[in-house]
Amino acid sequence: MSEQQQEPWQWSDAHWQKIVAQARAGKKLAPRIWPNGARCAIALSFDSDHDTNELREGGQSIGRLSQGQYGNLQGIPRILDILSHANVPASFFVPAVTALLYPDEQQRISELGHEIALHGWIHERNSVLPLEAERDLMLRSSDVLEKVSGKRPVGIRTPSWDFSPNTLALICEMGLLYDSSLMADVDCYELLMDGKATGVVELPVEWIRDDAVYFNMNRFAGLRPQISPADVFDIFKREFDAAYEEGGLFQLTMHPHVIGYRSRIWILKELIAYMQAKENVWFATHADIVRYVKANHA
Ligand SMILES: [Zn+2]
């Protein structure tokens, strides 16, 4: 019987060690000080899933597609207004299908100085793809984002933060600077593949710092928001407060079709105002933070 067919308690040490070693946290990349003497770095990100939220599973619901289009019509403009008013940059992770549906949105984001980075083709799950399909989709997505935004992306956030056994090797093959889909630390770190340093920087995410887990709803299943927008604000604020105390990194993931509602968008506005009221914070794109920690880690 092959080890794949065995129960986990029957696996040899070599088998589970190989599984664990596929993508591992290596050298910690935490600088002693941030640019201009800042105490804390702030990486705001928006995953512009829009209609791919429905299309990814083969869904064709016109109602749910309209919820996706809300991300373009209402979510993105509200977010960009707040970012522009506060004069802070952010990173937008954009599936290629979103970019093809809404090229004007990506051009505007890019012109405002924000970063556009990879987020799959149609929000597919990498872990169910054959190697050749995963490579093809990553390369074609890069081409689409470059064509639409005018810049070749340097980073990736895998859709649903889902890694296949080939994802890290493909990130290396494409020469990407960073990934932002894994969760091993609060600070940036270098990714190891089978024990070897890759040079790829991980800017870690966490579901705790993601709006979707608190606000997602499924009309025909039991999934409903369980806590109020004020409670979500409190969680994000506490995550920032601790990052500020520790002199570290505060990373946040939001979705235009989730946060961009009248009863929720204030979370972003008030959080930015709260963080800006502190002395010495550095708002930057994921790419700029990664470049800085690569050159300045302790
Ligand atoms: Zn997504």
Side-chain angles (χ1 to χ4, degrees), residues 47-49 52-53 56 93 95 119 123 157-161 255 257:
D47 294 2
S48 305
D49 300 343
T52 67
N53 206 36
R56 62 177 300 184
F93 294 89
H119 196 47
H123 214 281
R157 174 169 295 151
T158 59
S160 300
W161 309 353
H255 298 75
H257 73 286

Side-chain angles (χ1 to χ4, degrees), residues 69-253:
Q69 191 174 13
Y70 183 92
N72 164 262
L73 283 177
Q74 282 289 327
I76 289 282
R78 288 174 190 270
I79 289 163
L80 291 180
D81 278 356
I82 289 171
L83 296 178
S84 292
H85 192 253
N87 195 26
V88 296
S91 297
F92 290 76
F93 294 89
V94 183
V97 165
T98 295
L100 291 167
L101 272 169
Y102 309 109
D104 294 353
E105 172 191 307
Q106 317 318 319
Q107 281 155 17
R108 183 166 175 230
I109 288 169
S110 192
E111 282 163 14
L112 287 169
H114 304 298
E115 176 190 9
I116 292 186
L118 290 160
H119 196 47
W121 178 263
I122 197 165
H123 214 281
E124 65 282 357
R125 284 182 202 168
N126 283 349
S127 59
V128 301
L129 297 179
L131 168 62
E132 283 312 316
E134 188 177 353
R135 177 189 283 122
D136 176 55
L137 291 172
M138 276 172 74
L139 288 168
R140 280 201 286 142
S141 299
S142 238
D143 290 345
V144 166
L145 294 192
E146 183 177 14
K147 195 169 172 208
V148 168
S149 76
K151 286 183 200 135
R152 192 134 186 109
V154 299
I156 183 168
R157 174 169 295 151
T158 59
S160 300
W161 309 353
D162 180 46
F163 255 55
S164 82
N166 302 310
T167 304
L168 183 51
L170 291 171
I171 288 171
C172 294
E173 190 180 307
M174 288 178 66
L176 295 177
L177 185 63
Y178 77 91
D179 172 71
S180 184
S181 320
L182 300 176
M183 295 167 263
D185 206 330
V186 290
D187 298 309
C188 291
Y189 55 89
E190 182 174 11
L191 281 167
L192 304 181
M193 182 166 54
D194 301 323
K196 295 191 192 79
T198 60
V200 176
V201 177
E202 179 63 36
L203 197 163
V205 290
E206 226 317 313
W207 297 115
I208 293 165
R209 298 184 308 271
D210 183 322
D211 59 350
V213 297
Y214 304 112
F215 292 131
N216 269 351
M217 189 276 279
N218 184 328
R219 177 70 183 81
F220 300 110
L223 181 67
R224 296 287 183 281
Q226 300 288 327
I227 62 175
S228 72
D231 292 334
V232 176
F233 174 80
D234 185 62
I235 293 169
F236 293 167
K237 178 178 156 296
R238 285 169 188 270
E239 286 280 325
F240 164 75
D241 284 339
Y244 185 82
E245 274 306 304
E246 295 169 11
L249 166 69
F250 172 68
Q251 184 278 343
L252 184 65
T253 302

Side-chain angles (χ1 to χ4, degrees), residues 53-70:
N53 206 36
E54 174 66 2
L55 297 171
R56 62 177 300 184
E57 307 282 8
Q60 300 177 33
S61 158
I62 289 167
R64 285 193 292 273
L65 287 169
S66 75
Q67 280 188 305
Q69 191 174 13
Y70 183 92

